[in-house]
Amino acid sequence: MTLSDKLLHAIIGSLLVIFIATYPVKMVVSGEISNLLLWVGLIISIPITVWALVRLFTDGSSARKHFISKNSVWFGVFAFTIGIPMTATMAVYKGFPVFGHLFYSEPAMVEVTVERKRSRFHVRGYVFCEGIFYAKEFKSSFDNSICGLEKSDWYNLRVGDKVTLIGNSSSFGFMYSDYKIHDFKD
């Protein structure tokens, strides 16, 4: 394995670790920086993707050897052009705010309004998050979902209900650990 292959593996591996480590964190990224982070992630992914594709078509590279042995060089092209931008963008979009938030945040409570909720409590693909609803107050370009509601709370939740999120706030966003649903019927 050449130095170029090792460096490419290290970069892609680091992005994957950041993505996997920050994926289950219950944090809503601030709307002010969310667009910027999406663009930064996409811009970072372009040279890495081009570099990976060049390595895929370079004789003797580990990527070429791997995909040739599987008779799937075109699958490698597909995987690199989709997988690297997605991983890099998500690592930057959620990873930077999570790590920044851990160093600089203050305890806070935020009241949000239920805009809508998912059609089912359990949603395939959301391994770490059940009981999802969308908050009107968090309008980031990528995700404004809040998750982690108890099953009974989620089923009783209606559009327009107020929910107080308890957690920590920073300029990066809001990381919540608990919630309280307002009951105005009393």
Side-chain angles (χ1 to χ4, degrees):
M1 188 179 302
T2 66
L3 179 61
S4 182
D5 288 339
K6 289 178 184 177
L7 189 57
L8 182 61
H9 286 157
I11 291 170
I12 293 173
S14 299
L15 290 171
L16 233 116
V17 167
I18 292 169
F19 171 63
I20 291 170
T22 59
Y23 177 76
V25 174
K26 295 177 182 175
M27 181 172 181
V28 183
V29 178
S30 174
E32 294 86 39
I33 64 169
S34 64
N35 285 334
L36 175 67
L37 290 173
L38 284 174
W39 281 107
V40 168
L42 286 171
I43 290 168
I44 287 172
S45 73
I46 292 169
I48 299 170
T49 303
V50 169
W51 185 12
L53 290 171
V54 166
R55 296 306 299 159
L56 182 62
F57 290 103
T58 300
D59 287 333
S61 73
S62 62
R64 182 159 182 82
K65 288 177 186 174
H66 174 76
F67 286 106
I68 291 267
S69 70
K70 306 262 186 219
N71 290 327
S72 60
V73 172
W74 292 111
F75 176 75
V77 169
F78 175 75
F80 287 166
T81 56
I82 300 298
I84 292 173
M86 184 187 77
T87 303
T89 302
M90 288 307 299
V92 170
Y93 177 80
K94 189 130 184 208
F96 287 172
V98 167
F99 289 121
H101 188 85
L102 293 174
F103 292 109
Y104 169 72
S105 66
E106 297 175 353
M109 295 191 321
V110 174
E111 185 177 284
V112 296
T113 308
V114 177
E115 183 176 56
R116 65 184 173 91
K117 65 180 189 177
R118 287 286 188 151
S119 58
R120 286 184 256 163
F121 180 76
H122 300 286
V123 178
R124 198 178 316 172
Y126 284 79
V127 178
F128 298 102
C129 209
E130 300 175 323
I132 298 172
F133 75 91
Y134 296 89
K136 285 182 182 178
E137 291 76 10
F138 294 118
K139 292 292 186 187
S140 70
S141 59
F142 193 70
D143 189 17
N144 65 335
S145 65
I146 308 294
C147 68
L149 270 64
E150 296 290 327
K151 199 172 203 171
S152 61
D153 290 339
W154 185 84
Y155 278 108
N156 291 323
L157 197 64
R158 301 285 175 250
V159 171
D161 285 356
K162 300 287 186 186
V163 178
T164 299
L165 300 174
I166 302 158
N168 292 314
S169 182
S170 72
S171 57
F172 298 106
F174 188 78
M175 188 179 296
Y176 56 97
S177 57
D178 202 6
Y179 67 92
K180 179 182 183 259
I181 297 177
H182 296 259
D183 186 13
F184 296 111
K185 297 172 186 129
D186 294 343

